[in-house]
Amino acid sequence: MHKRLFIPGPVEVAEDVLQKMATPQISHRGKEASTLQRNISDKMRKIFNTKEEILLSTSSGSGLMEGAVRSCTAKRAAIFSVGAFGDRWFKMCTANGVPADKFESEWGQPTTKQMIEEVLKTGKYDLITITMNETSTGLMNDMGDLSSVYKKYPEVVVCVDTVSNAAGTEVNVDEWAIDICITSSQKCLGLPAGMAICTFSKKAVERAKLVTNRGVYFDLLGLYECIQKKDYQYTSTPSLSHMFALDYQLDKILEEGLHNRYARHIANAEIVRAWAKKYFEIFPDENFMSNTLTNITNTRKIDVSDLNKKLGEKGFIISNGYGKLKDKTFRIAHMAETTPQEIIDLLATISGILALK
Ligand SMILES: *Cc1c(COP(=O)(O)O)cnc(C)c1O
């Protein structure tokens, strides 16, 4: 039996979208490929609220995260981490020989304006990374608020991880002065894993020109220049299957309406939060709860693996806590095409298994 996915990626993919992956292949150097990539980019600009260029990558989101810090740090990167994915960004810097320092918040707490101000006023850094929606803790940073601080430092390239929230909650790239904003196909966009998408500002372009060792496959300037020179083509052979499905899914997303889609994510979140507060506790600071997944503190000390096994028999799967939070929390994703009714059914099933009253 197929288990319906309530994990924070990969997510359930609609049957018609999945079918688009089976579209007959085309030449990746033809006009058709250019049109396909250009159409995807135009639609992604609406999701990101930007006028800047859109880069596609045949990789998961981690590829573009690694490419961003490597391609655009000329001096030193400041990594603001609120959990496992912020830590990963720091690891990518050190593994690539990119000078970097990590500035951590306690898990469940946000990155603060004070932290950013303290770090940037030293003048040591020319790139920062922020995780907008941290999937390991279920926390969402307030980017509008944080942007008021880093906007005072125009020499800094701002990279933001919106992997688990873009297309599920509002992302205002231009208003928040983000230079590189990254997402993956298998989260709120509702596609199989294998394609990543980011915005790439003119400031990022100019910065990358100053960096010599940008690598090859994840050289973001290389991806950008290929788009300019070859009219929206990719440096190597892209996953055209993902592109067919993404182009189609973006039409569906825009047809639903971004406002409606974000409201549905919040409606899902509110149902999960109310249930979590009744029977457990919410892990992150409640002023910074994610709209796309909820991380629930396991106050009843339930056996999460056993719960998932029993859920599996009924056709559902949720996530255990991430890394050091394993068994201490569990996570319910409510992103992509998930509906309030599906959330209600899932929670009723969990309540039944755990005999919650
Ligand atoms: C899933 C995720 C990633 C990693 O993305 P991949 O597509 O798996 O490489 C990075 N950051 C966050 C916040 C995520 O949820």
Side-chain angles (χ1 to χ4, degrees):
M1 181 176 41
H2 173 67
K3 292 181 201 165
R4 207 173 169 82
L5 303 171
F6 292 90
I7 61 176
V11 297
E12 223 33 57
V13 181
E15 194 54 41
D16 53 339
V17 176
L18 215 44
Q19 286 303 324
K20 288 286 164 187
M21 297 282 291
T23 307
Q25 297 294 292
I26 57 174
S27 160
H28 66 300
R29 292 289 171 240
K31 265 212 170 71
E32 249 184 292
S34 292
T35 305
L36 182 60
Q37 184 165 336
R38 193 179 323 103
N39 287 346
I40 290 169
S41 301
D42 287 343
K43 292 171 211 171
M44 282 306 304
R45 269 188 267 274
K46 294 185 181 156
I47 299 218
F48 282 129
N49 281 300
T50 187
K51 291 189 175 61
E52 303 288 355
E53 194 53 275
I54 300 288
L55 310 181
L56 303 185
S57 172
T58 292
S59 67
S60 73
S62 301
L64 285 177
M65 288 169 70
E66 186 158 358
V69 288
R70 179 161 178 177
S71 304
C72 292
T73 309
K75 247 168 37 184
R76 196 170 187 87
I79 307 299
F80 292 95
S81 175
V82 289
F85 290 102
D87 290 353
R88 183 182 291 187
W89 229 338
F90 181 65
K91 192 175 171 195
M92 287 163 171
C93 291
T94 50
N96 279 289
V98 173
D101 296 302
K102 184 167 73 169
F103 302 95
E104 280 178 277
S105 303
E106 192 190 321
W107 281 36
Q109 292 300 316
T111 299
T112 65
K113 286 198 286 194
Q114 291 82 338
M115 287 170 78
I116 296 180
E117 182 79 65
E118 287 292 309
V119 168
L120 291 186
K121 78 177 183 204
T122 63
K124 275 165 66 179
Y125 303 95
D126 64 350
L127 179 142
I128 63 172
T129 75
I130 298 172
T131 312
M132 179 165 174
N133 196 72
E134 177 52 73
T135 314
S136 62
T137 62
L139 174 138
M140 184 161 74
N141 269 315
D142 182 344
M143 285 306 305
D145 195 40
L146 298 181
S147 71
S148 67
V149 178
Y150 62 69
K151 276 178 183 171
K152 293 188 284 181
Y153 299 88
E155 72 283 8
V156 174
V157 167
V158 177
C159 305
V160 178
D161 172 350
T162 61
V163 171
S164 62
N165 69 289
T169 191
E170 197 166 37
V171 178
N172 294 309
V173 167
D174 290 355
E175 191 188 319
W176 299 340
I178 300 172
D179 296 293
I180 307 177
C181 188
I182 301 168
T183 199
S184 302
S185 55
Q186 80 281 11
K187 307 243 169 136
C188 301
L189 282 168
L191 294 154
M195 178 134 289
I197 305 111
C198 75
T199 65
F200 201 59
S201 73
K202 297 194 183 56
K203 195 208 287 185
V205 172
E206 291 314 311
R207 170 61 57 72
K209 287 178 182 165
L210 305 175
V211 178
T212 27
N213 292 309
R214 298 188 304 271
V216 177
Y217 191 73
F218 292 116
D219 171 11
L220 302 197
L221 183 62
L223 288 171
Y224 175 85
E225 286 178 340
C226 185
I227 287 169
Q228 314 305 315
K229 285 183 197 139
K230 293 191 185 163
D231 189 21
Y232 281 93
Q233 287 189 5
Y234 192 65
T235 44
S236 50
T237 321
S239 172
L240 294 154
S241 304
H242 278 91
M243 290 168 70
F244 289 127
L246 178 57
D247 188 41
Y248 176 81
Q249 169 69 347
L250 286 169
D251 283 338
K252 286 185 68 179
I253 289 174
L254 295 171
E255 212 168 282
E256 177 180 17
L258 291 177
H259 183 76
N260 295 337
R261 190 172 178 86
Y262 302 152
R264 177 167 56 74
H265 279 76
I266 291 170
N268 289 345
E270 283 174 349
I271 298 166
V272 178
R273 289 170 192 163
W275 179 90
K277 282 189 191 175
K278 186 166 175 199
Y279 299 114
F280 295 89
E281 274 169 24
I282 289 177
F283 180 79
D285 182 328
E286 291 192 19
N287 295 312
F288 296 92
M289 290 183 289
S290 163
N291 289 341
T292 61
L293 80 147
T294 300
N295 192 15
I296 300 167
T297 308
N298 186 6
T299 47
R300 292 174 178 253
K301 301 212 175 350
I302 60 160
D303 183 332
V304 178
S305 318
D306 187 58
L307 168 63
N308 237 344
K309 198 167 138 242
K310 291 183 174 137
L311 274 173
E313 288 159 11
K314 299 189 185 297
F316 301 99
I317 180 171
I318 63 168
S319 266
N320 205 324
Y322 192 103
K324 67 182 180 189
L325 291 180
K326 184 163 186 276
D327 298 320
K328 295 194 173 70
T329 70
F330 60 95
R331 296 170 300 158
I332 297 176
H334 29 80
M335 56 177 75
E337 310 321 303
T338 306
T339 62
Q341 189 57 52
E342 288 166 344
I343 293 293
I344 290 167
D345 293 345
L346 169 75
L347 297 177
T349 309
I350 299 177
S351 293
I353 291 169
L354 298 176
L356 302 174
K357 281 190 226 78

